[in-house]
Amino acid sequence: MASHRKARPSGTRVAGIRTPALATAALTSVALLSQTANAAPSAEPRPSIEEVSKKVDDLYHQAETATDKYNATREKTAQQRKRVDTLLDDVARRTDKLNTAREELGSFAAAQYRTGAAAPDTATLLLADNPQDYFDQTQLMNRLTTRQKAAVDDYITEQAATTKKRTEATESLETLTASQKALKTSKAAVQQKLTEARDLLSKLNAEEKARLAAIEKKKQEQAAAKAAELARQQAAAEKAAQQQSSSGTASGSSGSSSGSTSGSTSGSTSTDSSKAAQALTFARAQIGKPYVWGATGPDSYDCSGLTQAAWKAAGVSLPRVTYDQVNAGTTVSLADARPGDLVFFYDDISHVGLYIGDGMMIHAPKPGAYVREESIYYDGTSAIHSVVRPG
């Protein structure tokens, strides 16, 4: 006899509940999707230490470029603020003088009122926006005494001058406001680049930080080797020049004239060397102080702040920012560089150091670092822009 029991439906039992085959397939799909989702974060490859090193260097370079723009804008803003203050003081003085002239005209009006002479005209004058329109009336001018005419002329002249100064002050205030806005933008750009660099470095583990330090050490060793080669070449060139000088002969008046010129040149060179030595003495005393963007000492410096302060100690005034300092002296070849010369870096002239000889310099390198001695090849030969001798 055939069984009347219904066939059990195919499927699985989950928590005591029968599920059809279709539901089972759906659950399997969900599980696969979940696994795929969990694996998604590894889609973007982690940058290599070399890439991180280059990125950090680029960010610091961008921060230094933004710092120079900030410094230039801050200096310009300070000058504009000084001009605005001067103009506002001038406007205040002229306004006082204008009020005095108005009071004098008022006394004339009162006197004329007591005598019954031309009081309405003078009173209208004092209330007028443009008194000149009233003084153009011949009949009124004819009634004024010499003293009154002089007071009127003073009033008109002072009113015109005061109006002009007020306009200048307003325009200068608008320029100052624009500069302050640019200053804020420049500051934000510096902070953004520094934050990006710090974020990159903070994501490195101990092993990666060690590898990054090894990369930096290798860069310094390569730079030191290039500096030593430059020193060798300079020493060889100086020795050759001395040999050529000692083998040469001079005669008669030519020798006397040459000696006189040489003495004059020697005296000038000696003075320049003395100033350079003072600048270097100051710079060496700053070694170990932190780099701080926008700083000019005495507790911290940025690159151009250090070179400016060093040469100021030698009695030489340099502009504040690198792309002005590069024009504050005589450009010389790298082979002719002498201690105290300024070495500029990068196409945008965004960094500067003080040359000390043998391919080395003193500079304020970058955020997070300290004033130190370092090879001028710290970022490769191509990074060197020019050498300038202040004076």
Side-chain angles (χ1 to χ4, degrees):
M1 188 172 174
S3 172
H4 293 284
R5 294 179 64 186
K6 293 183 178 179
R8 180 177 294 177
S10 62
T12 60
R13 182 183 294 271
V14 179
I17 302 175
R18 292 192 181 108
T19 58
L22 184 59
T24 302
L27 287 173
T28 303
S29 299
V30 170
L32 289 172
L33 287 172
S34 177
Q35 292 175 2
T36 304
N38 291 334
S42 62
E44 186 175 344
R46 186 179 180 85
S48 68
I49 295 301
E50 289 76 14
E51 290 172 336
V52 171
S53 176
K54 185 178 185 307
K55 181 64 175 176
V56 169
D57 287 345
D58 288 345
L59 286 169
Y60 279 146
H61 180 206
Q62 292 172 33
E64 193 164 34
T65 301
T67 296
D68 245 19
K69 292 179 180 179
Y70 170 84
N71 290 338
T73 305
R74 185 174 64 174
E75 190 173 64
K76 183 179 179 182
T77 300
Q79 294 171 349
Q80 289 169 339
R81 183 179 290 109
K82 186 176 180 180
R83 172 171 170 74
V84 167
D85 290 343
T86 300
L87 286 169
L88 290 176
D89 288 344
D90 195 11
V91 168
R93 286 193 298 269
R94 289 184 179 279
T95 300
D96 287 341
K97 192 173 181 181
L98 189 62
N99 290 336
T100 300
R102 185 180 288 110
E103 289 172 1
E104 187 174 2
L105 287 176
S107 66
F108 290 145
Q112 289 174 334
Y113 179 77
R114 287 193 297 271
T115 59
D121 289 327
T122 308
T124 304
L125 161 67
L126 294 175
L127 296 175
D129 290 332
N130 186 5
Q132 184 63 57
D133 292 344
Y134 292 88
F135 291 121
D136 285 342
Q137 301 176 40
T138 305
Q139 64 273 24
L140 176 59
M141 294 300 291
N142 288 338
R143 287 199 295 270
L144 299 178
T145 65
T146 302
R147 184 182 173 191
Q148 288 173 321
K149 288 179 180 179
V152 167
D153 288 342
D154 287 346
Y155 181 83
I156 293 172
T157 301
E158 200 58 44
Q159 186 188 51
T162 303
T163 299
K164 181 180 179 181
K165 289 296 179 182
R166 280 176 180 160
T167 300
E168 289 180 18
T170 300
E171 292 174 350
S172 292
L173 276 171
E174 292 173 353
T175 302
L176 176 60
T177 301
S179 293
Q180 288 172 330
K181 185 177 180 181
L183 190 64
K184 187 176 180 180
T185 301
S186 297
K187 185 175 182 179
V190 175
Q191 292 174 330
Q192 178 189 351
K193 298 304 177 185
L194 295 181
T195 299
E196 289 178 18
R198 283 193 290 263
D199 287 346
L200 268 177
L201 293 173
S202 68
K203 294 175 182 177
L204 300 179
N205 57 38
E207 182 181 350
E208 290 170 331
K209 288 179 180 178
R211 287 183 58 196
L212 183 61
I215 291 173
E216 292 299 320
K217 183 179 179 181
K218 185 177 181 181
K219 286 181 182 178
Q220 292 177 7
E221 289 173 349
Q222 291 173 341
K226 289 181 180 178
E229 176 61 20
L230 174 64
R232 188 191 66 75
Q233 292 175 359
Q234 288 181 326
E238 290 173 3
K239 184 177 180 180
Q242 289 174 357
Q243 290 175 345
Q244 183 177 5
S245 176
S246 61
S247 63
T249 57
S251 61
S253 61
S254 174
S256 174
S257 174
S258 175
S260 175
T261 304
S262 176
S264 175
T265 303
S266 177
S268 175
T269 302
S270 177
T271 301
D272 292 343
S273 298
S274 175
K275 290 182 178 179
Q278 292 176 50
L280 286 174
T281 298
F282 178 92
R284 283 194 175 93
Q286 313 313 309
I287 291 176
K289 293 183 178 180
Y291 176 105
V292 174
W293 65 271
T296 57
D299 299 322
S300 57
Y301 298 89
D302 63 16
C303 66
S304 56
L306 176 64
T307 51
Q308 183 188 48
W311 273 98
K312 183 179 180 181
V316 177
S317 178
L318 292 182
R320 174 64 184 92
V321 295
T322 53
Y323 44 81
D324 287 332
Q325 288 184 5
V326 75
N327 297 316
T330 303
T331 301
V332 298
S333 67
L334 182 59
D336 292 330
R338 295 203 304 244
D341 290 349
L342 303 177
V343 185
F344 294 90
F345 298 86
Y346 310 113
D347 292 338
D348 57 3
I349 319 175
S350 58
H351 188 67
V352 62
L354 199 66
Y355 190 64
I356 60 177
D358 296 337
M360 301 293 288
M361 66 178 172
I362 298 174
H363 70 147
K366 60 186 178 182
Y370 298 83
V371 176
R372 66 193 183 202
E373 290 187 11
E374 191 166 20
S375 167
I376 59 175
Y377 299 107
Y378 77 103
D379 203 18
T381 307
S382 61
I384 299 174
H385 177 274
S386 58
V387 181
V388 171
R389 186 161 300 147

